[in-house]
Amino acid sequence: MRALIAAGIGLAVALALVLTISSMEAPPGKTSPKPLLTTVPKHP
Amino acid sequence: MRRKASLILLAFAVFFAALSPLLRFYAFPRLAKVPANQYQVMVLEAKGATIMDASMQVKKTDLSIVQTLRGNVEESEKIEESAGRDVVVWDGLSYAQDSDGKMVTRIPERYIFDAHSSEPVHATGEMADAKPVKREGLEFKWPFLTEKRDYEYFDARSRTTNPILYKGEQNFRGVDVYYFEQTIPWQKVDYPSTLPVPNMNPKTLEKQTGTEMWYTTVRKFWVEPTTGAPVYGEEIHKEEMRGGSLTEAAGGKMTVFDGHVKMREDFIKSTVDLVKSQRVLVLLMTSYLPWGFLILGVLLLALSLWLEARSRRPGDDPESTDDREPEPAPAGV
């Protein structure tokens, strides 16, 4: 019984962690102010 | 004591063993996505290409093509509200100029796609060379964990979708890649929306002159399969004007463009470096961490079972019996 409880705790924490990480949204940021180029850049 | 330790180890063993598939099959598909605010410049070259210049003369030149992709965050947020999924909007411009710096073509695009799967998303504003389109298939980028199979790829010049064939594995500058090739057979296409020739209206040119624009290309991509990012690309591109009054003097056919377009060396290097660094991040979620957690889980389980077995051995460690039921006191004591 104790073994089952221990396994259950491990599983529950793993599920909680993955669900939390997966629901986190990285901020989308802003559109770059740099232009669409019409000149050839000298380097990347 | 040993019994408690074995239970704690068992909990950790289950935690890591469960984390392994959850990370790979649940978290990764949700976390891996193309950022909405990406800005990327690529320079391609066609040395000794044949082009038709502004005076409608055919000449040889070293052509440079600047391809800019800019993630439009505001538009992607608007489309996400109605689409209900993560969307990326790329505003792109392919600008070609000859060795004198004169414009040859200028092709704007808006490509809207799913941030996770790279599949196209249809919304107002989607266009190729200023004409609304409804793309099917990929463009620019393959999905994460690209498979060894043919894909559908959108060709912006003809505005058609055709298969791009998987041709095998290769090693490109130290990166294992999948090689894909697409052939667009000769076909009639629209004139580009912007022409280098002054006083020519691309919308009415064919009607006025009877001259048609024809095009073919062979497109080659070397794609890093973990990220789905092409590390190198080439295109053998040909365009001709056929028939009508514009080509009478040239015997009914004029080359507008004929060249082998390749990525410029310094951009190849920067792309390879970028893809290599991104590849590690994806591998961390798809391979390194899931396998590491699984192995750790198995090891912890083995240790837990070993401790449990030792705790049950009679007389082995009297301290280990502290969490067992107390022995009943002998009668009469």
Side-chain angles (χ1 to χ4, degrees):
Chain A
M1 188 63 189
R2 283 178 182 178
L4 272 179
I5 292 169
I9 289 169
L11 186 62
V13 175
L15 274 170
L17 182 68
V18 167
L19 287 173
T20 307
I21 291 171
S22 303
S23 63
M24 285 206 269
E25 283 280 332
K30 287 186 176 175
T31 303
S32 172
K34 293 178 195 167
L36 299 174
L37 298 182
T38 54
T39 53
V40 181
K42 287 203 166 64
H43 50 79
Chain B
M1 188 64 195
R2 277 187 191 149
R3 189 114 200 248
K4 269 185 189 162
S6 77
L7 286 172
I8 291 167
L9 286 175
L10 177 67
F12 275 107
V14 173
F15 171 76
F16 284 116
L19 209 53
S20 169
L22 283 170
L23 198 62
R24 169 64 186 82
F25 299 108
Y26 185 86
F28 172 72
R30 286 159 179 80
L31 292 172
K33 62 177 186 179
V34 178
N37 63 341
Q38 197 164 346
Y39 180 85
Q40 196 177 312
V41 177
M42 177 59 60
V43 176
L44 305 114
E45 291 177 324
K47 301 266 186 199
T50 306
I51 64 161
M52 194 169 74
D53 66 10
S55 57
M56 293 197 70
Q57 297 300 308
V58 176
K59 67 171 188 181
K60 290 262 183 191
T61 188
D62 290 339
L63 194 83
S64 295
I65 301 157
V66 189
Q67 195 174 64
T68 319
L69 293 172
R70 183 176 58 192
N72 190 327
V73 178
E74 291 73 26
E75 281 300 316
S76 69
E77 283 175 341
K78 273 187 212 164
I79 296 166
E80 275 172 8
E81 281 175 22
S82 54
R85 53 177 163 163
D86 293 326
V87 168
V88 174
V89 177
W90 273 350
D91 289 331
L93 180 68
S94 288
Y95 185 89
Q97 65 178 46
D98 64 16
S99 48
D100 301 326
K102 287 183 182 151
M103 191 269 282
V104 176
T105 56
R106 186 185 186 284
I107 298 175
E109 274 192 77
R110 174 166 284 182
Y111 177 40
I112 308 167
F113 62 100
D114 185 293
H116 301 280
S117 67
S118 298
E119 288 185 354
V121 173
H122 304 303
T124 310
E126 186 184 6
M127 60 96 169
D129 197 15
K131 267 198 175 178
V133 289
K134 206 171 179 182
R135 281 179 179 80
E136 297 300 333
L138 310 168
E139 197 180 356
F140 302 115
K141 190 195 171 294
W142 269 250
F144 293 104
L145 308 179
T146 300
E147 295 170 28
K148 292 178 181 178
R149 65 171 175 89
D150 303 343
Y151 284 85
E152 293 290 307
Y153 192 90
F154 182 77
D155 175 60
R157 185 69 188 90
S158 62
R159 300 190 185 93
T160 59
T161 300
N162 300 277
I164 189 159
L165 307 178
Y166 170 73
K167 296 268 187 175
E169 279 184 81
Q170 291 185 15
N171 189 283
F172 184 82
R173 303 194 184 191
V175 182
D176 291 327
V177 292
Y178 293 173
Y179 172 56
F180 291 91
E181 195 174 297
Q182 183 187 50
T183 302
I184 307 289
W186 277 109
Q187 59 190 276
K188 184 176 164 289
V189 290
D190 292 336
Y191 281 92
S193 63
T194 308
L195 293 173
V197 185
N199 306 321
M200 257 191 187
N201 184 350
K203 287 178 185 165
T204 56
L205 192 60
E206 189 181 332
K207 219 173 199 178
Q208 285 171 345
T209 62
T211 304
E212 297 174 344
M213 181 69 92
W214 283 70
Y215 150 84
T216 182
T217 200
V218 178
R219 180 173 284 127
K220 302 172 180 185
F221 279 115
W222 286 258
V223 177
E224 197 288 305
T226 315
T227 55
V231 291
Y232 183 59
E234 287 185 11
E235 202 170 319
I236 302 161
H237 188 118
K238 291 176 187 173
E239 293 193 33
E240 288 177 359
M241 291 207 294
R242 295 181 182 179
S245 58
L246 289 176
T247 64
E248 271 173 9
K253 199 160 86 172
M254 276 177 84
T255 299
V256 175
F257 180 85
D258 186 351
H260 193 154
V261 182
K262 299 174 180 179
M263 279 166 65
R264 204 171 78 185
E265 183 57 39
D266 50 349
F267 279 85
I268 298 173
K269 193 177 176 311
S270 73
T271 306
V272 168
D273 290 345
L274 177 71
V275 171
K276 274 182 179 171
S277 66
Q278 296 295 309
R279 180 177 178 272
V280 173
L281 292 176
V282 177
L283 280 175
L284 202 67
M285 298 222 39
T286 56
S287 180
Y288 301 156
L289 284 178
W291 281 111
F293 287 158
L294 192 63
I295 291 165
L296 186 61
V298 170
L299 287 176
L300 288 172
L301 181 66
L303 190 60
S304 163
L305 291 173
W306 179 73
L307 277 179
E308 178 67 17
R310 283 203 67 178
S311 71
R312 286 174 185 234
R313 212 180 292 167
D316 188 45
D317 180 6
E319 284 182 25
S320 67
T321 59
D322 61 352
D323 55 353
R324 290 184 191 167
E325 292 291 318
E327 294 290 326
V333 177

